[in-house]
Structures are given as structure tokens and as C-alpha cells.
Amino acid sequence: MIRDLWYKNAVFYCLSVGTFMDADGDGTGDFAGLERRLDYLIGLGVTAIWLQPFQPSPKLDHGYDITDYYGVDAVYGSLGDFVAFTHAAKQRGLKVIIDLVVNHTSDQHPWFQAARSDPTSRFRDWYVWSDKRPANYNEGMVFPGVQKSTWTYDEKAKAWYFHRFFDFQPDLNTANPAVQAEILKIMGFWLELGVSGFRMDAVPFVIAEKGPDVKGAPKEQFDMLRDFREFLQWRSGDAIILAEANILPKQDMDYFGEDADRMHMMFNFQVNQALFYALAASDVRPLVKALEKTWNRPPSAQWAMFLRNHDELDLGRLTEKQRQTVFEKFGPDKEMQLYDRGIRRRLAPMLDGDQRRIELAYALMFSLPGTPVLRYGDEIGMGDDLSIPERDCARTPMQWTGGDKGGFTRGAKPVSPPISGGAYGYEHVNVAAQRHERGSLLHWMQSVIRQRKEAPEIGWGDFCVIETGENAVLCLRYDWRNNSVLCLHNLDPKPIEVHFRTGVKGEEGKLLVDLLTGARTEAGQDGRHSILIEGYGYHWYRVGGLDALLRRSAN
């Protein structure tokens, strides 16, 4: 089972091909450059790569406006380069998943051009139209303050078309069986070229009913998810779908499926937002509630845990008071905020570049119940450039060396300006320098990833919260196959002494061995452990130590 459900104990690494490594010197990253850096990713310890869109596109929305689902944009290489990359990744034991963006296309896509040009075209019903302007044309915008409507009039079509996102991204009519069949064909195509699954973009919008007559919250068509899953399992038994679905906990099982017949994985946005509040307020109570509310999922399903991603940090699920606390701590200036709900910064500058706090945040993320997802550059503490508009400020090129343009390209015009100068410039923050510094964030990240992979209880097991009586301390115990791991984190800058029982019966519950340092601690006469945790400190313990692990495995 462990082999089949590879994603349960994986470590994902998200990157954009265009900003990772440029091999041909044209200023844009490419698959040849990415292939050259695979051994770096192996050394880091990641086991799966998530690629953001790389198909042909006008790139008005970073490639999420696709004009050809069956190709590679020429700036990144060719289909041959893509296959060479997936083959090289497979040789190294790395899985590859890619973005599946099927809620909408670019308005330059041949399908939409045919649809708007001829009302009798077979592609007309591949999109969502209205003869009159719908009453709710200015409701439901995903990007408030930037996006002005969800319906736009097309002069050529003499009709209004629906777009949940920008007006250059018309929504596909995903309820149309022909569109659904095309989505399956797209999935099958990339599976044949070596991918191990998909991160499905905007899943709630993909399955929502669409049209001018839809009022209020649109009804979701969950059977669509089952069809995607069945096709995937038929074509490739171990391939997965990782869903982007920022939903309420009461809907989780609708997306996973009661019989685990829908999405394999989902990003846990509820926990992500509560985690940032916990870091801002040194208060883990809302985080504990979020963990408990979202733990209900089939045994074969999995949560994806993350800190920052390629979008803004969405705080829309927090209360107004909680949201303001996070804003004040991590994004106090208006230029740091976006869409009235989020923060557009990278993690390192949010935490003032304090390596103790960065390590704590990642130690906490890696120890949460699910599969960790790391974003390119965060392993070295890359920063952001707030002079670049919207979310682009945190999508700058990877910083490989302290040389010209951070070693990303030898071309004169990089696709995005590398961060130069200041505390986060490539002159100071880069892979080459941190490789030779034993106390660097990169070395620490390699170590914690190794320890996370050696603690499969976190990815596979059940968890329980151990009460310590301290609001700033999170203590979680994981149990799987008669083995237990206990993770302890102090979100307060001050040292805190905690007292607790592990909850593991017998003599084994009295011994804790730190997975990160090897230090041992034993419970007192009353069976309680007393541990002093330094400010922003953390400890991962194996309950009972290695002897208990070997003894239980033998049984």
C-alpha cells in the first residue's frame, strides 16, 4: 500500500519553469535548464515536482490563459524537451505533476475564436453565453478591485460570455459532455508523456453550474470529479489529482468522496490560514480547531500542507479580528496586501528574515497531518520585490549564485527582474553560498526534509492533540502501525516549560528521543514529561525511541 499511495509520504516542490533555470540564454527558464537542476532537487530531498502552466499562452495571467492544451510554449522548449525532462526525473525517482487548467481558456484559443465567430460552430456550446447582460454580471469576481465583472459583451458573437476570472479567460462550459471528454483527453495525453498526476486549478469553479440563470451559490456537479478519478485510475493506477479547492470543512468529504472516489488530495486552506494566525498571535487554539475540523477524510485521501504558494496568502476564512492581526504582523502596509483579503509577500520577509522563525514555521508545516508542499526559493529564504505589481512581486527568478542575475540566466533581459541588492538580493541569498554554510537555511531544510521522510507516521497516521496548558505551544502525537511520533512547537519568542503525558501506555510512553538532535528525555515519577522549549523552539520525538520502533516493527 505504501508503494501505491506514494503521495502519503511525499515532499512536493512547486516551481515555474520560466523562472527556475535558463539554459539557452534567452532570459526565460526552460525544460533543459530544469533538467540540469534535477540533482539539486534530489539533494534537497524532495520526491515530487509540481509544474505550473507551461503550455502555449499569451501569458496575460502567467500561463493560466492557455491557447493549446497539447503543446509546450516555445520559450520553454519543445515537447521533446518535456519528455526528456520527465524521463530524467523518472530515472531519479522523482514524480512530476502538472497544472490542469480547465475552468477556462485564453480568449485567443482556437476554440473560443471559433465559438465567437460562428453561432453554429460546434465550439459555441463549449463556452457559456447569454443574449442579454445577466443581472449578476458584476458579482462573484475572484479578483476584487482588479476584475470589474464576470460577464463581458463580445461584439463578434453579439452575446455576453461568462468568465469567473479575467475577461481574457472565458469559462469553459464544463457541463457539456464534449468538454468533459476533451478534459479526459488532455489528461490522457500528458499521462502518456510521463506525468504522475495533476494539480487541478480552481476545482469548485470547474464543477459549478454556469449560466445566466444561476442565482446565488451555484450547485456543484460532483459526479464530474468521479469521472476524472475513474479515467485517471484506468489510465495510470498510481496517478493523482491534487485539488485547489478553498472550501469550508463541511464540504471536504464532497470533494474527497465518501468512498475515496473523487480527489486524491486537497490543499488545506483552512489550516493554512489558521497557521498564519497562530504564527502572528502566538496562539495555536484556532489552528487546533482547523486541524480537528478538517481531519475527516478517507484513509487513502491526503491533505497538502503549505505555507506560501504562487498566489497571495488568502485570509478570507479568518474572522475580521484574526485577519487584521495577521495583516498587522506580516503585511502592515497597503502595498503588501492584495484583493482586500490577502498578503502578497514571500515567507522570509514576512518573518523579518529571522531564521529562527522561518525554521519554526517550516518545522511546524512539515509536522502537520498531511503531505508538505514547498515553493521554489523558500528553501534559501528568497524575498520579494514589492515594486512589481500584484502577485508578480513574489514570482522572481530562482537565485542560484551571487553572480550576475543570480546565475538564473546569461541573457540580457530576464523574464522577470531578479532581486538584487538589499537583504534578499541574490548577492547574499543564493544556493551556492548556502551549500557551503553549515548553519544555512538550505542545510537546515535538507535535514528537516530527511527527518520528515523518516517519520511516515505524520503522513500516514492518526493524530491527537496533547494538552500542555500553554496557548503558544502545539503538541501533536501521531500513531501508525504501533509506532508514535510526538511534535512539539513553541510559537512564542520566550522560552516556555511544558508538562504533559504522551498518552502512550506502558514504559515506552515515558521515553522520548529527539529525531532532530538525538537527545533523550524521560518522564518523572508521575508519568509526566517536563520540557523547556526555547523561544521559537521545536522538537520532534519518537516515543519510546529506536528500540521501541524496532520492537514494534518486529511484532
Side-chain angles (χ1 to χ4, degrees), residues 54-72:
F54 52 81
Q55 291 87 354
S57 164
K59 297 182 183 62
L60 299 179
D61 185 21
H62 297 277
Y64 285 88
D65 48 332
I66 292 173
T67 57
D68 179 8
Y69 285 102
Y70 301 99
V72 171

Side-chain angles (χ1 to χ4, degrees), residues 41-315:
L41 297 178
I42 288 292
L44 181 59
V46 301
T47 61
I49 302 171
W50 157 27
L51 298 181
Q52 294 179 258
F54 52 81
Q55 291 87 354
S57 164
K59 297 182 183 62
L60 299 179
D61 185 21
H62 297 277
Y64 285 88
D65 48 332
I66 292 173
T67 57
D68 179 8
Y69 285 102
Y70 301 99
V72 171
D73 197 297
V75 297
Y76 305 136
S78 65
L79 276 174
D81 293 324
F82 177 82
V83 173
F85 154 70
T86 57
H87 178 72
K90 184 178 181 180
Q91 284 184 315
R92 292 164 172 80
L94 286 168
K95 302 283 188 180
V96 176
I97 70 170
I98 67 173
D99 262 340
L100 182 65
V101 187
V102 292
N103 177 68
H104 51 263
T105 69
S106 165
D107 60 0
Q108 300 304 307
H109 198 293
W111 300 342
F112 186 72
Q113 290 300 311
R116 67 191 289 258
S117 301
D118 182 0
T120 65
S121 167
R122 72 184 183 95
F123 294 109
R124 185 73 166 198
D125 195 39
W126 282 40
Y127 295 88
V128 184
W129 301 93
S130 177
D131 293 333
K132 298 179 180 179
R133 187 180 75 178
N136 62 349
Y137 78 99
N138 59 352
E139 298 177 2
M141 283 80 75
V142 174
F143 306 120
V146 178
Q147 181 186 359
K148 296 181 179 180
S149 70
T150 53
W151 289 87
T152 294
Y153 186 74
D154 184 79
E155 289 287 350
K156 197 166 189 177
K158 305 299 182 186
W160 296 76
Y161 65 89
F162 178 67
H163 51 91
R164 177 62 70 181
F165 294 84
F166 296 114
D167 59 4
F168 54 80
Q169 294 170 314
D171 268 39
L172 284 164
N173 179 12
T174 48
N176 184 338
V179 172
Q180 293 180 22
E182 191 71 25
I183 292 173
L184 299 183
K185 189 195 296 186
I186 293 166
M187 294 168 64
F189 177 83
W190 292 107
L191 287 172
E192 288 299 314
L193 295 187
V195 308
S196 296
F198 306 89
R199 175 265 189 188
M200 183 174 282
D201 185 59
V203 175
F205 298 141
V206 172
I207 66 174
E209 289 184 338
K210 306 177 183 182
D213 299 325
V214 174
K215 297 179 180 179
K219 181 181 178 182
E220 294 105 334
Q221 303 163 93
F222 290 109
D223 285 346
M224 205 181 297
L225 299 182
R226 183 180 291 109
D227 292 341
F228 296 154
R229 173 72 174 258
E230 287 180 350
F231 176 84
L232 202 66
Q233 303 304 147
W234 173 53
R235 281 293 185 94
S236 180
D238 67 346
I240 67 164
I241 298 177
L242 168 55
E244 183 203 26
N246 191 350
I247 55 175
L248 292 171
K250 64 182 180 181
Q251 290 187 289
D252 291 345
M253 293 304 292
D254 292 332
Y255 283 80
F256 283 131
E258 294 287 346
D259 296 325
D261 57 351
R262 295 176 184 172
M263 300 290 93
H264 300 78
M265 298 183 69
M266 283 201 297
F267 289 102
N268 199 327
F269 286 94
Q270 198 81 17
V271 165
N272 175 257
Q273 297 179 45
L275 172 56
F276 272 93
Y277 173 76
L279 292 171
S282 299
D283 183 358
V284 304
R285 290 173 295 177
L287 175 58
V288 168
K289 289 181 180 178
L291 289 169
E292 292 174 342
K293 286 181 179 178
T294 58
W295 184 237
N296 182 31
R297 89 285 186 267
S300 63
Q302 184 71 313
W303 287 111
M305 296 295 183
F306 65 105
L307 283 169
R308 290 295 290 113
N309 59 20
H310 59 291
D311 292 329
E312 77 281 2
L313 170 61
D314 188 344
L315 304 171

